[in-house]
Structures are given as structure tokens and as C-alpha cells.
Amino acid sequence: MTHKTLQDALEWRYATKKFDPTKKISDADWVQLRNSLTLAPSSYGVQPWRFLVVENPEVRNQLKPVSWNQTQVTDASHYVVFQYKEKMDPDFVQKFIQRMADVRETSLESLDGYKNLLIENLVKAPEEKIRVWSQRQTYIAMGFLLQTAALLRIDATPMEGFDPAAYDKILGTEGSGWKTVATVALGYRHSEDPLQHQKKVRFNEADLIHYVK
């Protein structure tokens, strides 16, 4: 990838307001978008998130009214709901440690020190602290998805304009320990979306980036 390729992708993307419902993301491109979510980094590597890909049109229609009636919910090719783990628990930590042992082909006993670290820093931490931490971690995965979409020339719109509690109820995740925090609509811009012709407004680099020497 050249520097120009990356720069062009960053300049090209914008938060699409109106999607073309007739255009769908290819299976091959969707694989790469999925990979960006599963390969996103997280603190301790524990991935305190999950992603619900809402394919059912009826469910999307139910979500639209609790999303300020934004058309991206129903018109985008793919609609991904980001959920964070509300509370860390020993079972989740054990599941992660087991996965680490399997992938790295090592014994569970050799990971006891890391497991105890996670228990001490996450499971025993104040619940409010973990909720905030989990939410912030989830936005890291969103960033990876948005960047990957831009490189693939797939439009993406990050969204927080909805009722999270209503989402949890409609999606059947109330009381599951997972809570909705944000969504991303993915697809292709409609030719009638006026935002695509507007210049991107950003502060000058000097206002945003400061070097500490």
C-alpha cells in the first residue's frame, strides 16, 4: 500500500447519510470487514465486546424508530451492533485463558500468573470502572472496521443516535451481560446523498497534533 492509497481512502470516506439499498457488500469484502473486527486489539487482549450483524429486515425495521428514524438502519447493506461486556467475571477470564492456551499450544498452568492478573485487575475492579473500560475498548474495534471499510471503498457510518436500552430489548439481549453502545452501517452511498459532495471539515493539523520534546 502506498501513502497515497491510504491518504485517498481517508479523504474519500465520510459518514454516509443515505445508502443505496440496492447495492450489497460482496462476500469477499465482508470477510475482510469481519477480520478487522476479530483482529482488533484490546487491553490485556481479552476482547470485552461482541458484534451483532442484524440481517433480519423485520428486526431492522423495529430498530429504525428507536434510532431517530435514520434510514441507514434499514438501507445499508450490513448493520453491525457493537455490544460491550458490562461486567468481567471468572468464567469469561477462564474462557480467554483457555483460548490462549489452545492457540499458543501451551498449558493452562503456565498461564496461571496471567489469569490471576486478569482476575485482580478486571474481575475485582469496581463495576463502573469496568463498564467504562469495556465501552472504550469497543470503540477501538469500531475504528478498525471504519478504516478497513475506507480502504475497500465501502461506505460506513458510525452511529450513537439511538436508544441503547430499546436495542437490547429488541435484540433479546437484556440481562445477558452484554449492552449495546454503538452501531456501524455499511454499504454504498446513494447518488442522491448530498453529503458526499461536501468538503471534509477538520481542524488544521497544528491545532490537533502537538509534539512533546
Side-chain angles (χ1 to χ4, degrees):
M1 183 192 307
T2 65
H3 292 168
K4 185 177 187 305
T5 297
L6 179 56
Q7 182 66 30
D8 287 347
L10 293 172
E11 294 284 356
W12 173 84
R13 73 149 308 278
Y14 74 103
T16 304
K17 187 69 173 178
K18 184 178 178 62
F19 282 89
D20 187 337
T22 67
K23 295 182 179 180
K24 303 300 179 183
I25 296 171
S26 71
D27 291 341
D29 281 344
W30 176 240
V31 168
Q32 297 307 312
L33 292 169
R34 284 175 8 218
N35 285 343
S36 73
L37 292 172
T38 59
L39 293 174
S42 62
S43 181
Y44 300 104
V46 298
Q47 308 141 80
W49 54 50
R50 70 177 186 178
F51 316 104
L52 306 184
V53 184
V54 186
E55 299 180 319
N56 190 317
E58 293 182 6
V59 175
R60 286 217 216 172
N61 284 330
Q62 293 177 52
L63 293 174
K64 184 178 178 181
V66 296
S67 307
W68 300 352
N69 285 312
Q70 296 178 88
T71 60
Q72 297 98 315
V73 177
T74 51
D75 291 350
S77 171
H78 288 59
Y79 192 59
V80 183
V81 176
F82 287 67
Q83 294 194 324
Y84 68 95
K85 188 163 180 59
E86 184 179 16
K87 179 182 178 181
M88 283 290 127
D89 56 75
D91 288 343
F92 187 81
V93 170
Q94 183 59 44
K95 179 180 180 181
F96 171 66
I97 292 297
Q98 182 65 62
R99 177 63 175 167
M100 181 179 287
D102 293 342
V103 171
R104 296 183 176 174
E105 299 181 344
T106 189
S107 67
L108 288 172
E109 292 75 19
S110 69
L111 298 172
D112 278 345
Y114 196 56
K115 176 182 176 180
N116 292 335
L117 175 70
L118 297 180
I119 293 292
E120 190 66 31
N121 292 347
L122 300 180
V123 176
K124 295 182 179 180
E127 292 186 11
E128 178 59 25
K129 179 179 179 180
I130 292 302
R131 277 195 292 271
V132 173
W133 170 81
S134 293
Q135 291 173 16
R136 289 175 175 172
Q137 294 300 305
T138 303
Y139 280 97
I140 296 175
M142 177 188 285
F144 265 56
L145 177 62
L146 295 176
Q147 181 65 70
T148 301
L151 290 169
L152 293 171
R153 285 297 193 271
I154 294 172
D155 289 298
T157 303
M159 299 169 64
E160 285 186 321
F162 60 88
D163 182 343
Y167 263 59
D168 293 342
K169 183 175 182 179
I170 293 170
L171 296 171
T173 61
E174 282 183 313
S176 68
W178 297 94
K179 288 196 169 185
T180 301
V181 64
T183 71
V184 172
L186 298 150
Y188 299 94
R189 63 192 67 177
H190 197 288
S191 60
E192 297 177 358
D193 186 1
L195 289 182
Q196 64 188 296
H197 304 300
Q198 295 183 3
K199 291 184 177 180
K200 193 183 299 292
V201 179
R202 297 292 187 271
F203 284 113
N204 291 324
E205 180 180 306
D207 293 324
L208 300 174
I209 301 176
H210 301 267
Y211 296 88
V212 181
K213 299 182 179 180

